[in-house]
Structure formats: structure tokens, C-alpha cells
Amino acid sequence: AVDAEWALNDWNPRVYASGWKYWAIVMPDKVAGQTNMDWIMRENIEKGLVIRVFDDPDEALQWLESM
């Protein structure tokens, strides 16, 4: 998908350069979105990013704040 290519080739290099290390994800409801996020997550985990998936946005934010 075009948005996944943009994320990996444009957005990710910029956020990695800024020191991005942790990503809390609240997965989309739609299966297509989940599949896309799974692929993006694998690509970023291979680059050393620490990723956790949450059902609740508040829990995700708490985890990020604790890092």
C-alpha cells in the first residue's frame, strides 16, 4: 500500500533520526488495517524499535510515559 511505503521510506527515517525508540500501537478494527500494521511492526522491530500493542489508548500512553 502507498501509505505503508510512505511510512517506511519517509516518515520512519525522520522519526528514527529524532531518537524514536518506543511505539505503542492501538490496532485498527479492520482486518486490512491490522494486516498492514503487522507488516509495518515487523519492519520496525527488525530495526530495533520496541513495540507493544494495546487495546486501550490510555494504557498505551501510560506505557510510553513509563519508558
Side-chain angles (χ1 to χ4, degrees):
V2 173
D3 55 342
E5 283 184 38
W6 174 84
L8 291 174
N9 298 319
D10 185 340
W11 187 70
N12 281 6
R14 289 185 285 129
V15 293
Y16 277 110
S18 73
W20 189 41
K21 296 177 185 172
Y22 305 99
W23 188 11
I25 297 174
V26 178
M27 291 295 267
D29 292 332
K30 294 183 179 180
V31 174
Q34 293 171 3
T35 302
N36 201 27
M37 284 305 300
D38 285 340
W39 179 75
I40 291 170
M41 285 175 19
R42 280 194 307 276
E43 293 292 317
N44 284 292
I45 289 169
E46 289 177 8
K47 294 178 182 177
L49 191 65
V50 177
I51 298 174
R52 274 191 64 188
V53 176
F54 295 86
D55 294 323
D56 181 284
D58 293 327
E59 289 178 15
L61 183 57
Q62 285 178 334
W63 176 73
L64 284 172
E65 290 173 339
S66 74
M67 302 317 293

